Amino acid sequence: VQLQASGGGLVQPGGSLRLSCAASGVTLGYHHIGWFRQAPGKEREGVSCISRSDGSTSFADSVKGRFTISRDNAKNTVYLQMNSLKPEDTAAYYCATARWCSSSWYPRAMNYWGKGTQVTVSS
């Protein structure tokens, strides 16, 4: 199982980015998928997850109303749309398969994850 997050970059505060999570060796549509992030000097934080069954979602309070998560099973890809970005969103972002998706998914439900993508929010 290999997961690869992409789409990161440098963006100004208030800007947007869309991250993608692609996979090989696994059909993402069969899995709950989550995103977590790691900022320097900070603990990792679960950002969001999306259910494999009904597409229900969960978000950390820090990103509610700004981030959305979606999946395109035909492309075997999960997306994290990030709007109204803030400097505190700066981090490496990773996607992971998860055993469940709810407000408690991180970190206990984490299963596989791969390389992350760096998001830097700065003027």
Side-chain angles (χ1 to χ4, degrees):
V1 175
Q2 290 187 335
L3 301 177
Q4 176 69 62
S6 63
L10 174 63
V11 63
Q12 292 186 342
S16 299
L17 281 175
R18 188 178 78 161
L19 306 185
S20 298
C21 175
S24 60
V26 62
T27 301
L28 294 183
Y30 295 160
H31 296 269
H32 309 292
I33 301 296
W35 288 89
F36 65 95
R37 64 188 180 184
Q38 173 82 69
K42 296 183 179 180
E43 292 187 0
R44 290 191 303 186
E45 177 187 20
V47 175
S48 179
C49 66
I50 183 166
S51 169
R52 68 184 178 189
S53 52
D54 59 4
S56 59
T57 59
S58 180
F59 296 91
D61 288 343
S62 58
V63 305
K64 276 182 182 176
R66 301 187 297 120
F67 290 12
T68 59
I69 187 171
S70 61
R71 60 166 79 234
D72 185 335
N73 290 336
K75 295 182 178 180
N76 203 30
T77 302
V78 172
Y79 302 101
L80 184 69
Q81 178 67 44
M82 307 186 298
N83 299 326
S84 302
L85 283 163
K86 304 175 180 180
E88 50 264 42
D89 294 318
T90 295
Y93 284 72
Y94 303 81
C95 57
T97 60
R99 289 186 289 276
W100 68 82
C101 175
S102 71
S103 59
S104 68
W105 81 275
Y106 183 84
R108 292 183 295 143
M110 288 176 60
N111 205 348
Y112 297 104
W113 64 94
K115 294 181 179 180
T117 186
Q118 179 66 37
V119 172
T120 302
V121 184
S122 175
S123 55

